[in-house]
Amino acid sequence: MLISIQNYIQYKYNQCQQCGICKAICPKKAISLKYLENGTHEVIINQEECIFCKKCVRYCPANKKSNFNDYFKDFSNKLYYLGYNSDTAIQRSSSSGGVCKTLIIESLKSGYVDGVYSLKKTNIYPYAQGEFYTRDNIPTYDSIPNSVYHSVMSCTEINKIKKCKRLMIVGTSCQLRALTEIVKNKCEELFTVCIFCKQQKTLDSTKFFAKITGTKIPVDLKFSACYRGDGWPGIVKINKAKLSWNRAAQLPFGRRLWTVPGCDICGDSFGIEAGADISLMDPWTIRPENEWGETLITVHSEKGFELLKNIPNLILEEKSFKEVEPALSLKDVWRKQQLVPFFRGETTKDKLVKAGKAEIKQRRLLQHIAEKMPRMPILFYRILCKLPDFRNKILD
């Protein structure tokens, strides 16, 4: 988070959402990034070069507070689909059936949109970066990363975005909040696709995955990683080692470990406050393990509905709210929203302060155990996940 104090820009790492918009938007290139050991970055402001235009403050998504009062009221009336690519090879090799990749590639191929801002694979850590695609620069299914479970400053390449008639932007809620205002003058019509997100991860989660498989992440960060694909929920590959995603995910995600600090002040997991037309998420609890994979799609707008209906090679199976409700994690999103004021440092109810402090202590304890004992039998991690969740017990 960046805030202005008199004629000074101050950076707060503990509320930074690691989007990189500040570096991209600075007209004087007075902002640089310092890599940290946990895979995130510290924002460095050269105060001598800064002209105090405050663009970095204006576009910083951490400064955009959300109103959650009516957040859940329309979920029972939304449209829901399980989606996947019609090509079974693409469906199997992609995260959750490949819907995100299909939207990006096929919308450009068909001419439904003129440009897409999303991610591309790279050969250096974090092995992904922001990229602007056009009909003259259509990616392949292999050149777009699957799910990425370490922090990516995806907004650093926004200056590549050119004016076009129809533009699609794809990202998590914080990334969309950073992008939306900037790109609105670069297109006649904007389509916004949110990747459902309750917690981005630091590199420490990938280090944990590596330890489980008996490999390691070298100091020079020259390693290979592929998250998800090969069915549902898929596998994670670190170097040449493989691990079932069920085993890899249960502790870090179930107990919110190694979370990017700025994620704690975001409760807009579906991107509703960021203006998302559709949200894409995993079909946890409603789909058994299988060799293919699907994405659970939530439609928030008529524009989102029209987008889905005009994408070639995208198979959609309509579902009712009752059928998908267990996978939506609405109660868990609500809990996260309750603690946003605490993590922002605002004055709040004693109950929320108690829950927030319990959350911090629980994370530290479980991270310490996991880091000291990373190669225990899967039953050990299942037991850790079954222990009482202090945050939930207090809030519920």
Side-chain angles (χ1 to χ4, degrees):
M1 172 187 274
L2 293 166
I3 59 174
S4 59
I5 302 176
Q6 296 179 348
N7 290 322
Y8 182 82
I9 302 296
Q10 181 180 338
Y11 171 65
K12 293 185 176 182
Y13 171 77
N14 68 338
Q15 295 187 24
C16 177
Q17 295 174 336
Q18 298 290 304
C19 69
I21 195 71
C22 53
K23 183 178 186 298
I25 204 68
C26 180
K28 289 295 183 178
K29 301 188 184 304
I31 293 178
S32 59
L33 304 174
K34 177 184 177 182
Y35 174 78
L36 302 177
E37 188 177 350
N38 70 355
T40 63
H41 291 82
E42 179 183 358
V43 174
I44 306 297
I45 300 103
N46 184 333
Q47 301 294 340
E48 293 183 358
E49 295 292 329
C50 177
I51 59 173
F52 205 62
C53 65
K54 297 191 283 188
K55 282 187 174 181
C56 57
V57 175
R58 174 185 172 190
Y59 290 107
C60 177
N63 287 324
K64 296 176 172 61
K65 294 186 179 182
S66 297
N67 181 356
F68 302 125
N69 291 339
D70 298 319
Y71 195 87
F72 302 101
K73 71 173 185 177
D74 292 328
F75 271 84
S76 60
N77 298 318
K78 293 181 185 289
L79 289 175
Y80 300 95
Y81 298 95
L82 284 177
Y84 50 92
N85 191 286
S86 60
D87 185 321
T88 54
I90 295 172
Q91 179 187 6
R92 178 171 165 74
S93 65
S94 305
S95 300
S96 301
V99 168
C100 186
K101 292 183 179 183
T102 305
L103 287 172
I104 295 167
I105 294 169
E106 302 301 335
S107 64
L108 287 168
K109 283 184 176 179
S110 66
Y112 193 75
V113 300
D114 309 290
V116 179
Y117 188 81
S118 183
L119 293 179
K120 73 172 182 180
K121 287 182 181 178
T122 65
N123 58 8
I124 58 173
Y125 181 83
Y127 300 106
Q129 71 176 43
E131 180 63 35
F132 178 59
Y133 298 110
T134 68
R135 295 186 205 177
D136 298 322
N137 174 33
I138 299 176
T140 66
Y141 280 91
D142 288 334
S143 65
I144 301 175
N146 283 357
S147 300
V148 181
Y149 292 111
H150 46 243
S151 177
V152 177
M153 286 196 149
S154 66
C155 297
T156 55
E157 309 300 316
I158 61 166
N159 291 323
K160 293 181 179 180
I161 300 176
K162 306 300 181 183
K163 285 192 174 183
C164 52
K165 185 176 180 180
R166 285 182 159 188
L167 172 67
M168 180 194 301
I169 55 175
V170 182
T172 60
S173 178
C174 62
Q175 294 161 359
L176 296 180
R177 288 198 302 275
L179 287 168
T180 303
E181 189 174 352
I182 289 173
V183 302
K184 67 182 180 182
N185 293 325
K186 292 195 173 185
C187 62
E188 296 178 20
E189 189 171 11
L190 178 65
F191 297 90
T192 308
V193 178
C194 181
I195 307 300
F196 177 89
C197 178
K198 290 187 292 183
Q199 45 185 307
Q200 293 187 63
K201 295 300 185 185
T202 68
L203 181 62
D204 292 333
S205 67
T206 299
K207 290 178 180 178
F208 175 67
F209 298 152
K211 288 178 181 178
I212 292 177
T213 60
T215 185
K216 64 179 182 179
I217 305 300
V219 175
D220 62 8
L221 299 180
K222 292 182 179 179
F223 67 98
S224 63
C226 181
Y227 298 97
R228 312 287 302 287
D230 293 341
W232 163 254
I235 58 176
V236 55
K237 302 174 189 176
I238 306 293
N239 297 325
K240 295 182 180 180
K242 295 182 181 180
L243 181 67
S244 160
W245 187 245
N246 266 332
R247 182 181 178 189
Q250 60 179 337
L251 185 61
F253 286 87
R255 289 310 176 94
R256 306 171 295 281
L257 309 187
W258 302 295
T259 296
V260 169
C263 291
D264 289 326
I265 64 168
C266 173
D268 187 20
S269 297
F270 289 89
I272 295 172
E273 294 291 311
D277 295 304
I278 60 173
S279 300
L280 309 179
M281 66 189 303
D282 295 325
W284 289 110
T285 73
I286 66 171
R287 296 297 293 146
E289 185 174 343
N290 62 75
E291 63 176 315
W292 306 114
E294 303 118 325
T295 298
L296 174 55
I297 306 168
T298 303
V299 182
H300 302 295
S301 71
E302 182 65 29
K303 191 164 53 174
F305 174 76
E306 291 300 322
L307 171 66
L308 291 175
K309 293 299 184 181
N310 282 279
I311 301 300
N313 302 321
L314 179 62
I315 306 298
L316 298 170
E317 299 176 5
E318 188 170 358
K319 299 294 178 180
S320 68
F321 172 69
K322 185 176 181 180
E323 289 176 299
V324 304
E325 186 178 8
L328 295 176
S329 300
L330 298 182
K331 186 61 180 278
D332 203 50
V333 173
W334 174 85
R335 294 188 192 106
K336 191 170 189 288
Q337 291 175 353
Q338 301 309 297
L339 293 187
V340 167
F342 168 80
F343 283 108
R344 280 191 175 274
E346 300 170 1
T347 301
T348 189
K349 298 177 182 178
D350 290 343
K351 179 180 179 180
L352 300 183
V353 172
K354 183 179 178 181
K357 290 181 177 179
E359 170 75 351
I360 293 171
K361 291 179 180 178
Q362 177 175 281
R363 285 184 194 171
R364 288 175 178 169
L365 174 62
L366 293 179
Q367 284 173 190
H368 178 74
I369 294 173
E371 288 166 355
K372 293 296 182 181
M373 296 183 285
R375 301 207 67 189
M376 300 296 287
I378 190 170
L379 179 62
F380 176 77
Y381 302 114
R382 286 176 177 167
I383 292 172
L384 288 182
C385 285
K386 292 293 184 182
L387 294 175
D389 191 312
F390 298 138
R391 182 199 71 170
N392 296 356
K393 289 182 72 68
I394 294 170
L395 292 178
D396 293 348

